[in-house]
Amino acid sequence: MAVKATSAPPGGLTPKQKKRKDTWKLMKQNYQLYFFLVPAVVFIVLFMYVPLYGLQIAFKNYRTGDGIWGSAWVGLKWFEKFFSTPRCWEIIRNTLTISVYSLVAGFPIPIILAIILNYVKNLKFKKFAQTVTYMPYFISTVVLVAMMTLFFSPTSGFVNTIIQAFGGEPIYFMGSSALFPHMYVWSGIWQSMGYSSIIYIAALSGVSPELHESAVIDGANILQRIWHIDIPTIMPTMIILLIMSCGNIMNVGYEKVYLMQHDLIIDVSEIISTYVYRVGLISNQFSFSTAIGLMNNLINFTILVAANKISNKVFGSGLW
């Protein structure tokens, strides 16, 4: 049987080669723009990739005198030590409790705030509301915890003063194990919701006014317009931010927890990041703390990949 000869592509290049050639041509034409990427690339390489060299101490018995290369290999010794620690699962449970609680309670609130602000017609009030909700984000963590300590003090805090005015007993909010997760999560939501809503406000600004005009003509109320116009518009943004939040589910802010932490609530406030601080910087167990941090990041990476895969299957979009 005769084989039909195939003609060569125009210019003698395959589609893949032609695409590569066009890409290089485009880069040469706009080379000035790529120079702006150089500082960012250098920053990422120096501060994100070069430090990965030090991760090998998680598998070594690191001693500062011997250096990284001179320290002896111990394999998975430090990982086994962590999982055999009596408080291991308590620390993991505390981390997941605070992180999942923060995600479930905190993720929808900036979206709701952005939608509310989007429907405010009075521009002066809208700007005032935006400023009021943004400002807490710029309060330092130390000041925020100090404010909480003063406001919720059982002796002089105005919250307990109000409780006593209604005949109740003062509550030691900052010393209650049961209240610690709520204090941490809701103070964080109050501080960050305005700043987190900016990206949703920007996404909502891209909604065509004609869609809302058509919906109003068809008799749609505000809730129907939000559900059928606004939510679908910002859905890709919501998905991306949710995936990124899932990828940080094991990373609970160290500074705020450490400032709120004391002996009365150590059973619920000891999380991975504070534990790493204690064993790494205070006890100088560098290999042990590095192993815990590496394990933590591997879990985050696994959750990120899984969340992205689920998102691609369910919603048809993801980070990649």
Side-chain angles (χ1 to χ4, degrees):
M1 185 173 69
V3 179
K4 185 178 179 181
T6 56
S7 59
L13 298 174
T14 63
K16 189 175 182 180
Q17 290 173 331
K18 187 175 183 302
K19 185 178 180 181
R20 189 181 297 119
K21 184 178 179 181
D22 291 341
T23 301
W24 278 108
K25 184 178 179 181
L26 187 64
M27 290 177 68
K28 287 179 181 178
Q29 290 174 348
N30 301 278
Y31 71 91
Q32 300 94 336
L33 298 176
Y34 289 92
F35 279 118
F36 288 102
L37 289 176
V38 173
V41 172
V42 171
F43 176 84
I44 291 171
V45 170
L46 287 179
F47 295 99
M48 303 295 177
Y49 288 99
V50 172
L52 293 177
Y53 161 80
L55 286 178
Q56 60 183 298
I57 70 174
F59 306 95
K60 290 187 171 188
N61 186 18
Y62 176 70
R63 297 175 59 187
T64 53
D66 296 332
I68 294 179
W69 282 108
S71 300
W73 288 95
V74 294
L76 301 176
K77 173 185 174 181
W78 303 116
F79 297 92
E80 293 171 357
K81 180 181 177 180
F82 176 65
F83 285 109
S84 62
T85 302
R87 299 193 62 197
C88 167
W89 298 110
E90 178 186 289
I91 292 168
I92 294 175
R93 183 199 66 205
N94 293 342
T95 304
L96 286 173
T97 299
I98 294 174
S99 186
V100 173
Y101 185 6
S102 298
L103 179 62
V104 172
F107 186 77
I109 290 180
I111 300 171
I112 296 169
L113 177 62
I115 292 173
I116 291 172
L117 291 175
N118 189 55
Y119 280 88
V120 174
K121 301 301 181 184
N122 189 315
L123 291 180
K124 287 186 178 180
F125 179 76
K126 184 176 182 179
K127 290 180 180 179
F128 172 76
Q130 287 177 324
T131 303
V132 169
T133 53
Y134 294 167
M135 285 179 66
Y137 181 80
F138 301 100
I139 299 174
S140 72
T141 306
V142 176
V143 173
L144 175 64
V145 175
M147 290 169 59
M148 292 168 62
T149 304
L150 292 173
F151 294 165
F152 293 95
S153 170
T155 56
S156 58
F158 77 88
V159 175
N160 275 301
T161 301
I162 295 172
I163 292 173
Q164 288 177 297
F166 284 93
E169 295 293 326
I171 301 170
Y172 188 13
F173 288 93
M174 301 296 288
S176 170
S177 295
L179 294 176
F180 171 78
H182 306 296
M183 297 291 292
Y184 177 89
V185 170
W186 289 103
S187 62
I189 292 172
W190 171 79
Q191 186 179 26
S192 63
M193 66 178 181
Y195 189 82
S196 300
S197 68
I198 293 174
I199 191 167
Y200 296 111
I201 293 172
L204 287 168
S205 65
V207 179
S208 174
E210 295 176 356
L211 291 175
H212 284 285
E213 291 170 2
S214 300
V216 170
I217 292 171
D218 291 337
N221 56 34
I222 290 180
L223 292 178
Q224 290 172 327
R225 287 157 57 194
I226 291 171
W227 185 255
H228 295 287
I229 298 175
D230 295 328
I231 297 295
T233 300
I234 63 175
M235 183 62 74
T237 305
M238 291 166 55
I239 292 170
I240 296 298
L241 293 178
L242 180 60
I243 294 172
M244 294 175 68
S245 297
C246 290
N248 285 314
I249 203 162
M250 294 293 287
N251 290 341
V252 179
Y254 152 79
E255 185 181 11
K256 185 177 174 184
V257 174
Y258 189 73
L259 290 169
M260 294 176 65
Q261 199 174 74
H262 52 80
D263 291 341
L264 290 177
I265 57 172
I266 195 69
D267 58 323
V268 296
S269 64
E270 186 75 297
I271 58 175
I272 289 176
S273 57
T274 56
Y275 185 71
V276 167
Y277 171 76
R278 294 180 194 282
V279 300
L281 295 181
I282 297 180
S283 302
N284 294 325
Q285 299 181 50
F286 299 113
S287 292
F288 186 35
S289 60
T290 303
I292 299 171
L294 178 59
M295 176 210 68
N296 194 46
N297 289 330
L298 288 175
I299 293 173
N300 278 333
F301 178 75
T302 304
I303 294 173
L304 176 67
V305 173
N308 186 72
K309 190 171 183 180
I310 293 170
S311 175
N312 281 322
K313 275 192 172 183
V314 177
F315 301 104
S317 64
L319 285 174
W320 64 85

